């Protein structure tokens, strides 16, 4: 079985560093996709209220035969549900669709216009109630994290941001490190655009790996939590098969240079 490390969040919880993203996976394909991923060794699924496939995620987990507590489930609050009461109601809706009484991680999907203080207070309450084991944000800038930090007591456990070798987000990652926020990478493969890159292809040939495996390995060694999406069973299996090789310092540097 594939061995994927955990990352310890600032609230002490351990999140599997690698998971399956299900944005743009149609509801009717989601259960099969999630089941196939779990059978391949995935233990972490990233969905959102906005993706309209939370029921499919629940069905896939049930079909896998694994217990709820064996799978890390992240979902995200939609932009239409910002504010204290709307956020409380929104998570109840997600929990009903996910067929569970808690999510492992609940994220504010996109920053709102109001600084998100009321929304974040709802998130703190949901965490205290045990309905969201960890709470975090997504697509927040350093300035937005600063503003939230001035008004509220809880530092987000995670900021999920667009991050890949072509968009390395150096400044924001340094901010996260100083603040104790884990960095989670969306579009880790640049939605496939990186897989034709000549540097990536050269390293893949030398290592007898695929370009996607090289990019995902770069993420793991950089310390990012990473959630590549695929609906293709062979790619789902290929993407998680990255535990048993290591990029050298020179290879990491060559990939880092793509972001300059
Ligand atoms: P990714 O970088 O994960 O790329 C997904 C694309 O790459 C799909 O077209 C997929 O094709 C293809 N692909 C996957 N694996 C391989 C492979 N081994 N070889 C060749 N092609 C491959 O982009 P996403 O935008 O989907 O990001 C991943 C996840 O991040 C999302 O699913 C979602 O969970 C999250 N996300 C969060 C956002 C946020 O605002 N917080 C925004 C965007 C994404 P196919 O499926 O056809 O196999």
């Amino acid at each position: 079985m594939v061995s994927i490390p955990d990352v310890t969040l600032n609230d002490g919880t351990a999140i599997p560093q690698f998971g399956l993203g299900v944005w743009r996976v149609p509801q009717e394909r989601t259960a099969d996709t999630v089941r196939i991923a779990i059978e391949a060794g995935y233990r972490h699924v990233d969905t959102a209220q906005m993706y309209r496939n939370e029921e499919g995620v629940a069905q896939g987990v049930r079909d896998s035969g694994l217990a709820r507590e064996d799978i890390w489930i992240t979902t995200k609050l939609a932009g239409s549900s910002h504010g204290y009461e709307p956020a409380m109601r929104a998570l109840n809706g997600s929990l009903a669709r996910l067929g569970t009484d808690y999510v492992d991680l609940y994220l504010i999907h996109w920053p709102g216009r109001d600084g998100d203080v009321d929304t974040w207070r709802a998130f703190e309450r949901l965490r205290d109630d045990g309905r969201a084991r960890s709470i975090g944000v997504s697509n927040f800038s350093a300035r937005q994290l600063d503003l939230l930090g001035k008004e509220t007591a809880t530092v987000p456990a995670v900021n999920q941001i667009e991050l890949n070798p072509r968009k390395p987000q150096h400044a924001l990652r340094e901010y996260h490190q100083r603040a104790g926020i884990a960095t989670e990478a969306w579009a880790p493969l640049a939605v496939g655009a990186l897989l034709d890159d000549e540097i990536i292809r050269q390293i893949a040939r030398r290592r007898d790996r695929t370009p996607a495996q090289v990019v995902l390995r770069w993420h793991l060694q950089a310390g990012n939590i990473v959630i590549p999406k695929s609906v293709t069973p062979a790619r789902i299996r290929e993407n998680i098969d990255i535990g048993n090789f290591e990029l050298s310092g020179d290879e990491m540097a060559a990939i880092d240079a793509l972001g300059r």
Side-chain angles (χ1 to χ4, degrees), residues 9-63:
L9 303 177
N10 63 14
D11 57 12
T13 308
I15 179 174
Q17 197 183 352
F18 182 94
L20 177 76
V22 294
W23 184 38
R24 288 191 287 204
V25 180
Q27 174 84 275
E28 64 278 10
R29 290 188 74 179
T30 305
D32 277 351
T33 303
V34 166
R35 178 188 46 80
I36 288 165
I38 293 173
E39 285 168 2
Y42 290 61
R43 293 293 178 266
H44 168 176
V45 181
D46 181 272
T47 183
Q49 184 182 345
M50 223 182 77
Y51 301 170
R52 300 182 182 281
N53 58 19
E54 290 171 311
E55 282 115 329
V57 170
Q59 188 61 45
V61 173
R62 277 194 296 274
D63 291 349

Side-chain angles (χ1 to χ4, degrees), residues 9-12 105-108 120-121 123-124 127 133-137 140 142 144-159 175-183:
L9 303 177
N10 63 14
D11 57 12
L105 176 62
Y106 197 33
L107 302 178
I108 300 180
W120 193 242
R121 296 222 163 99
F123 272 48
E124 292 177 314
R127 179 212 44 208
R133 298 262 164 102
S134 294
I135 55 175
V137 297
F140 273 49
Q144 286 159 334
L145 290 168
D146 266 343
L147 285 174
L148 194 64
K150 283 204 180 89
E151 301 284 335
T152 63
T154 307
V155 176
V158 166
N159 188 14
Y175 180 103
H176 290 167
Q177 240 165 15
R178 283 197 303 278
I181 299 170
T183 300

